[in-house]
Amino acid sequence: MKIVMLGAPGAGKGTQADMIADMFSIPHISTGDIFRENIKNGTELGAKAKGYMDKGELVPDELVCDLVVDRIQQDDCVKGYILDGFPRTIPQANALEEALKAIGQKLDYAIDIEVPDENIISRMSGRRSCTGCNAVYHVVYNPPKTEGICDKCGGKLVLRDDDKPETVKNRLNVYHEQTQPLIDFYKGTGVLHEVDGTQTMEKVFADIKNVIGA
Ligand code: AMP
């Protein structure tokens, strides 16, 4: 089961990817999480990515493509994986297609979670992310059991700098210009499925399960 999650920042890709990953016992690979881990650990990759991320811009393709191509060939990916936040540009999608072809694999589904821009900005201001394990909550739609504390690891929950309204507007512009064209790309390869992301988390998950026949 090889799945790519598409959708604007804040559409709920990460939350749904986590639920699918749990259900199929396959890894949830989030490039944003990989960069944030690298920043936390003070790596060279983290230092290169940070400036772009803080401004809400995309990290250059060359810093992300090889990293993902390596990751999907690790042992835990034999039964499949869910890519969340990658690809984000047409060159990244092409790099993924080529890498998959070279290892005799192909994507099963590209799932686009659709949420209008108006909803995104208000959603993002309520989003809280764990500084320990990167789990994502929402103060209204998906609150943790104890305010400010991660259910999974007990870490502290914060509003990420790049989830602040001024950066979110830039991330949305970047999404429309560079990432939205992937919807037509995956329509063209026949794997695209669209789900209505304005519904409850449970209903979105039910719709995704319908798509993947689970
Ligand atoms: P995310 O958590 O997926 O919203 O990613 C946070 C930030 O990491 C993005 O705004 C980008 O700066 C960077 N990033 C994550 N994935 C990619 C990617 N595939 N290509 C370029 N930049 C990325």
Side-chain angles (χ1 to χ4, degrees), residues 9-10 13 30-33 35-36 49 52-54 56-61 64 68 84-89 92 124 127 160 162-163 171:
K13 299 186 295 291
S30 155
T31 41
D33 284 352
F35 288 132
R36 281 183 285 278
Y52 299 99
M53 292 173 75
D54 285 348
E57 289 169 8
L58 293 187
V59 171
D61 291 340
V64 70
V68 174
D84 160 21
F86 182 93
R88 255 183 162 98
T89 64
Q92 290 181 17
M124 298 288 257
R127 190 148 97 152
R160 256 166 46 190
D162 66 342
D163 283 346
R171 291 171 72 194

Side-chain angles (χ1 to χ4, degrees), residues 32-89:
D33 284 352
I34 294 173
F35 288 132
R36 281 183 285 278
E37 272 307 301
N38 274 274
I39 292 172
K40 202 158 87 182
N41 296 332
T43 69
E44 197 180 322
L45 176 65
K48 284 184 184 157
K50 189 172 185 320
Y52 299 99
M53 292 173 75
D54 285 348
K55 284 186 270 180
E57 289 169 8
L58 293 187
V59 171
D61 291 340
E62 58 271 23
L63 289 184
V64 70
C65 288
D66 290 351
L67 182 151
V68 174
V69 169
D70 281 351
R71 179 68 189 88
I72 60 174
Q73 295 185 68
Q74 287 173 19
D75 290 348
D76 62 339
C77 291
V78 283
K79 283 200 307 178
Y81 42 82
I82 302 168
L83 292 176
D84 160 21
F86 182 93
R88 255 183 162 98
T89 64

